[in-house]
Amino acid sequence: MVGVESTPAMQPTSAWYFRWRQVASELIGEPLEEQAAGELWRDARQSMKLPPHSAYRYLVDEYFAAARELLNSDRRTESASEELAAALRADVKEGLPLWCYERAEPRRPKAADSPSEGLAQQGPAGATLWFGDIPAELADVKALNKVFFTSKPSGVPPPFIKKLVKQGYKAGSIAFRADAEPGQDDELREKEAKDWAGYAFVEFRDTQEAKDALAHFDGRLVEGWKMRVQWAEDRHQGRTTQFRKLGPDLQPGQDPPLVEQLFPASLPAEDLRQALNRHSAAIASVLAQPEQEPWVIAEIVEALYRKHPRQEIPAAGVPLPPSLLRNLQEELRRTRWPAAPHRAGMQAQHYLVLQRGWINEGYEALMCVIDDVLDWADPAFGCNRVAVTKDFQGSPHIDSSDVTCQYAVSIGDFTSGGELCIEGDRPDRVWVVDTHDRVAKIDGRWVHWVRGHSGGERYSVIFFSTNPACATERSRPVFQDFAPRG
């Protein structure tokens, strides 16, 4: 059109665009020219119809491939790996930024995670009670837990406090203090009598336990508190989502996203540094400068394994004797699971931790069967903790409190998937362990996770130790020579 000059296209402003430029500049050893970078980004976004995070991944992979072609150039040094390790020792002070984990598929909710899950499982009344008239000195989670522990029915585990309001309302609104001074104004005397009272929503394992608790607690006097208990409103029923990881539902045999396998978000800074060091040797030669932010190193490591997937090494545990298998499965199906998971951040419908040598109220029968399994597998193993889960999936993590190896078994009606995956002693290898109706000896101090499963329920029982007297050095992720000793 006459009189109208063409103008250059506006430069991209997406955060993913700037992240890609930083990674690409590191890979090719020089800054990207701004206009050319903008054109590449627009082409990926528009011509290829990619959303920002997919365009980012595509272009990072393209520049990683280009960097591999420069391996013999003068800018690569034989000491690159050592330089990178030294830089990581100085730079890793916290976890990776959250956006590094934002590229998983959108979550597909399961019915078990819906707000009505508790009602569907536990009946119309749910399992949550309202406790009122809590005095100020007891309106604290720690103090309230102590009250429940000392006053609950025998053989029942303490309930879970979903919500506590310390100053909920004024108590004694029509009461008058007996020790009021003569001549005090009636209104003032009434005001002084209205002390703040707290209230709490408390969840039990199931409807029957909540009914029993209502009859047991309502009107009971404990430490000066006359308990006022009633059913909570429907909107306060249902399983709590506190401490639960609500991630994507994995398909049978599917692994969690690669970045979570390599660098789990739960890793503290020191464990993250070790993970980066483990994988950095494979990419040190394609880095222009070792002094890079940890997230840049992590993104390039991820690009490496997208192009060259890690080797999978199959393994299998030892089959459980049929009698032990039957007893364990029957008891697990009878288990009344805790209202809240005993371990935070894991993606599981239920997560229970039992302590060997202690009284596990409400779980005595389950503990007996579990002890039978350990007596068969390794009666000398210094196990002091047992993790029991239902429908655990994904959740890459390191069991940093473990001091030695552990024994793992999974049982249930699931027909496919559900394998236990453990990062190998070589970072480019992953052990894929079949624990279905089998006991495997593994070391949870390596990064590990569980693949998605289908066809039915999947229970798992993990025997581990946190006792320093049982400590051993970490040597290998899977003990293929394991043989039952009982």
Side-chain angles (χ1 to χ4, degrees), residues 109 135 147 183 193 218 228 258 275 320 338 352 416 425 436 461 476:
V147 168
D218 190 32
R228 181 182 165 200
L258 179 59
L320 266 175
L352 167 68
S416 63
D425 42 358
H436 194 181
V461 180
R476 46 184 165 154

Side-chain angles (χ1 to χ4, degrees), residues 245-453:
K245 180 181 179 182
L246 303 177
D249 299 326
L250 300 177
Q251 297 299 310
Q254 181 185 5
D255 291 308
L258 179 59
V259 65
E260 293 183 20
Q261 301 172 35
L262 300 171
F263 311 108
S266 60
L267 293 186
E270 176 58 24
D271 287 341
L272 173 61
R273 183 188 67 79
Q274 292 179 13
L276 286 165
N277 272 332
R278 274 173 53 76
H279 296 287
S280 62
I283 62 151
S285 58
V286 302
L287 296 177
Q289 298 292 331
E291 296 83 7
Q292 282 296 326
E293 295 181 60
W295 73 263
V296 175
I297 306 300
E299 292 295 295
I300 296 174
V301 168
E302 192 180 352
L304 166 68
Y305 293 127
R306 283 198 298 267
K307 187 172 181 62
H308 303 287
R310 297 193 283 180
Q311 178 187 0
E312 293 186 359
I313 305 175
V318 178
L320 266 175
S323 60
L324 285 178
L325 177 63
R326 181 178 60 256
N327 293 343
L328 182 58
Q329 182 160 302
E330 289 176 355
E331 195 56 47
L332 285 169
R333 285 175 173 163
R334 285 195 292 263
T335 296
R336 301 167 77 177
W337 297 92
H342 286 183
R343 181 172 183 176
M346 298 292 108
Q347 189 173 343
Q349 185 178 353
H350 297 294
Y351 200 113
L352 167 68
V353 178
L354 302 172
Q355 301 188 55
R356 295 190 75 228
W358 291 51
I359 298 176
N360 297 275
E361 290 188 298
Y363 301 103
E364 294 87 349
L366 176 60
M367 197 70 236
C368 287
V369 177
I370 285 174
D371 282 340
D372 289 343
V373 173
L374 187 59
D375 287 343
W376 167 80
D378 187 354
F381 182 57
C383 170
N384 66 342
R385 300 284 190 277
V386 182
V388 186
T389 73
K390 182 178 180 182
D391 291 339
F392 187 105
Q393 64 168 317
S395 308
H397 65 283
I398 289 175
D399 292 320
S400 55
S401 63
D402 283 17
V403 298
T404 186
C405 59
Q406 58 183 228
Y407 289 96
V409 57
S410 64
I411 64 176
D413 294 336
F414 68 101
T415 55
S416 63
E419 297 89 352
L420 175 62
C421 298
I422 311 172
E423 192 174 86
D425 42 358
R426 280 179 44 179
D428 60 346
R429 290 179 176 177
V430 173
W431 291 82
V432 181
V433 186
D434 178 9
T435 62
H436 194 181
D437 299 343
R438 298 169 176 267
V439 174
K441 185 177 181 180
I442 60 104
D443 197 323
R445 294 172 291 181
W446 303 90
V447 175
H448 57 288
W449 63 90
V450 173
R451 284 180 169 172
H453 66 276

Side-chain angles (χ1 to χ4, degrees), residues 463-484:
F463 302 87
F464 64 102
S465 177
T466 60
N467 183 359
C470 301
T472 61
E473 293 294 325
R474 188 180 75 166
S475 59
R476 46 184 165 154
V478 179
F479 294 76
Q480 291 182 290
D481 56 351
F482 160 64

Side-chain angles (χ1 to χ4, degrees), residues 72-218:
N72 296 322
S73 68
D74 293 338
R75 72 178 176 89
R76 315 295 173 178
T77 66
E78 293 182 0
S79 60
S81 183
E82 290 78 4
E83 293 174 8
L84 177 56
L88 286 172
R89 281 196 292 273
D91 288 347
V92 181
K93 299 181 177 65
E94 56 185 18
L96 298 178
L98 291 179
W99 63 262
C100 288
Y101 302 94
E102 291 176 356
R103 283 159 288 165
E105 291 298 317
R107 182 169 181 265
R108 297 178 296 278
K110 294 199 301 192
D113 290 331
S114 66
S116 62
E117 182 266 351
L119 298 178
Q121 280 199 341
Q122 301 163 351
T128 301
L129 300 180
W130 179 89
F131 283 72
D133 291 357
I134 304 174
E137 60 271 20
L138 296 179
D140 173 83
V141 171
K142 185 176 181 180
L144 202 54
N145 272 325
K146 182 180 178 182
V147 168
F148 287 134
F149 183 79
T150 57
S151 63
K152 64 180 179 58
S154 177
V156 176
F160 173 67
I161 302 172
K162 295 171 79 171
K163 181 179 180 180
L164 172 63
V165 178
K166 296 184 177 182
Q167 293 187 337
Y169 54 89
K170 287 283 190 175
S173 59
I174 60 173
F176 289 85
R177 286 178 48 186
D179 60 347
E181 294 293 332
Q184 274 189 312
D185 182 83
D186 286 353
E187 183 178 348
L188 176 60
R189 290 166 61 201
E190 182 177 345
K191 181 179 180 181
E192 289 182 350
K194 296 177 185 177
D195 295 326
W196 281 106
Y199 62 88
F201 295 101
V202 181
E203 186 176 353
F204 294 82
R205 291 184 295 175
D206 52 37
T207 299
Q208 186 57 53
E209 188 171 275
K211 287 179 179 178
D212 296 341
L214 177 61
H216 175 81
F217 286 116
D218 190 32

